[in-house]
Amino acid sequence: MAKEKTRYNPNMPSEGYDKADLAALRGSNITPVLANAQLRFDSAEDASLFFARELDYVKAKSYDKIYPEFTALNNFPITHEVPEGAETMTYYSYDKTGFAAIISNYATDLPRADVKGSPTTAHVKSIGDSYGYSVQEMRASRMAGKSLDIRKAAAARYAIERTVNRIAFAGDEKHNLMGMLSPKNNIPLYTLSIVDGKTAWKDKPAAGILADVNGMFAYQSELTQDVERADTLALPPNVYIDISTRQIPNTGITVKKFLMDNAPYLKEIIPSPELLAKNTEMNPYGENVALLYTNNAEKFSLEIPMSFYQYPLQNRNLEIVIPCEERVAGIILYYPLSAMIAVGV
């Protein structure tokens, strides 16, 4: 009886595969177990090729996955300027010094102008996890004519991206990684107005909310002599919903729409669950926080030297394991005064 040729999933994005995966499968004790008459492989070689392509499909699907609930990964500037092999990165902040004065015709003591530079060093750390498939899971996948379950790869990526998102907000003091809400990041704090002993926007009239937002912009302008003009306001979801639905009395216009139409520099107002008081993992203040910032990589960025990467499989007895890694340097704040934090909204 002629042997049936292996048929590959037509939904695969390509006929390519990771050759390192294929080599690992060839040398493993897994594919000989799978290559039997019941699964209708011609040989262990065919089984290796089939599952190498299966893994390629899983990796491609996982790499393209997007998780919009991660505010930092979707709404902060992200850069990849640092080489993935670097352990640290250093950038310099320069300040103009000196002054000019009116001089006489024969003056020899001209005032001196200069530039001073101060270095700041950020550390780069690896974040890793893994996922895998047992022989039985691969056997069941082949017998059912289905692809390997990509949810394992998606879960591995989700875990890493969640950690990166947490670092982007809260930082990691133990590993010298800075976040937007880290206590030592030099972002100024704005003191909200108090109405009946409370600062929360839900307890204020619409005019009180508008006064707080105007006050944040005015304070930033005062600190920077109107150099910095933030364009994005991130709010906890419950505060965002409130200003999106609450109308200014006798106008029929919501607070959010009024701000978007009239705040001269504001381009976007976004919800951010990381800013909730109860989200203690990412919000160290213990109260709802508003974050006003300039969404521009020239001002700050989340530096990711190496994006999520899935290594070739590793054979461990009757299981294959795929290690995953991402390298991150946290938030790099070139201009701390381009952002502002208000605690207690």
Side-chain angles (χ1 to χ4, degrees):
M1 179 182 296
K3 294 180 180 178
E4 182 180 338
K5 294 292 184 182
T6 303
R7 295 180 180 178
Y8 301 109
N9 191 329
N11 295 322
M12 288 185 183
S14 71
E15 288 298 315
Y17 54 86
D18 190 323
K19 292 183 179 179
D21 285 344
L22 178 61
L25 282 164
R26 281 174 175 169
S28 73
N29 60 349
I30 292 177
T31 47
V33 175
L34 294 169
N36 56 49
Q38 186 180 16
L39 291 186
R40 298 183 180 180
F41 285 112
D42 286 342
S43 63
E45 175 70 17
D46 285 341
S48 298
L49 184 59
F50 175 80
F51 284 107
R53 287 181 173 174
E54 280 282 283
L55 289 169
D56 179 68
Y57 171 67
V58 168
K59 290 178 179 180
K61 290 290 289 185
S62 176
Y63 192 80
D64 293 337
K65 194 70 175 177
I66 297 174
Y67 297 96
E69 66 267 29
F70 291 150
T71 303
L73 298 180
N74 289 275
N75 294 283
F76 287 178
I78 296 177
T79 54
H80 309 279
E81 298 174 358
V82 178
E84 59 188 39
E87 294 290 341
T88 61
M89 66 159 291
T90 300
Y91 62 94
Y92 284 82
S93 299
Y94 292 94
D95 188 22
K96 301 179 181 69
T97 63
F99 63 95
I102 297 174
I103 61 174
S104 63
N105 291 341
Y106 303 101
T108 58
D109 55 343
L110 297 177
R112 191 65 176 261
D114 208 339
V115 175
K116 290 184 177 180
S118 59
T120 302
T121 298
H123 297 260
V124 182
K125 299 295 181 180
S126 290
I127 302 170
D129 61 11
S130 65
Y131 65 96
Y133 301 95
S134 68
V135 168
Q136 175 55 29
E137 287 173 323
M138 298 175 73
R139 184 186 292 122
S141 171
R142 172 58 182 167
M143 289 191 69
K146 297 180 180 179
S147 297
L148 292 173
D149 187 354
I150 67 170
R151 286 175 293 187
K152 291 190 175 188
R157 174 161 188 154
Y158 182 90
I160 285 181
E161 300 292 15
R162 188 177 187 279
T163 301
V164 172
N165 191 69
R166 176 183 60 77
I167 290 171
F169 276 93
D172 190 315
E173 186 175 1
K174 178 181 178 181
H175 297 99
N176 298 307
L177 298 174
M178 188 73 71
M180 288 299 284
L181 302 183
S182 295
K184 300 177 182 179
N185 60 13
N186 294 324
I187 293 177
L189 293 175
Y190 177 75
T191 303
L192 296 166
S193 62
I194 300 175
V195 176
D196 295 329
K198 300 176 181 178
T199 62
W201 286 2
K202 67 182 179 62
D203 299 317
K204 292 180 180 179
I209 298 173
L210 296 177
D212 279 340
V213 175
N214 288 340
M216 293 175 73
F217 278 106
Y219 186 45
Q220 184 180 57
S221 176
E222 178 185 345
L223 289 176
T224 66
Q225 299 185 51
D226 204 33
V227 170
E228 298 294 348
R229 300 174 176 180
D231 57 24
T232 303
L233 178 62
L235 299 169
N238 56 350
V239 179
Y240 176 84
I241 292 171
D242 180 27
I243 69 167
S244 298
T245 55
R246 195 198 306 191
Q247 295 184 356
I248 299 174
N250 305 317
T251 66
I253 300 174
T254 65
V255 175
K256 177 176 179 287
K257 179 172 175 55
F258 184 87
L259 287 170
M260 294 301 298
D261 290 344
N262 295 280
Y265 312 127
L266 195 60
K267 296 179 182 178
E268 193 172 12
I269 301 176
I270 61 173
S272 173
E274 295 87 351
L275 301 177
L276 283 165
K278 65 180 182 181
N279 197 341
T280 56
E281 183 183 26
M282 302 190 192
N283 177 0
Y285 288 98
E287 298 183 68
N288 279 352
V289 169
L291 176 63
L292 183 67
Y293 64 94
T294 305
N295 195 355
N296 187 327
E298 295 294 320
K299 303 296 183 180
F300 82 99
S301 70
L302 172 57
E303 176 61 32
I304 301 178
M306 186 178 81
S307 298
F308 179 74
Y309 180 75
Q310 302 182 80
Y311 288 93
L313 68 91
Q314 296 178 2
N315 173 35
R316 299 181 186 175
N317 298 322
L318 294 181
E319 182 185 31
I320 60 170
V321 176
I322 296 90
C324 306
E325 182 188 12
E326 185 163 329
R327 286 179 63 74
V328 62
I331 292 293
I332 310 301
L333 276 166
Y334 304 109
Y335 296 94
L337 298 186
S338 67
M340 186 167 295
I341 295 169
V343 179
V345 294

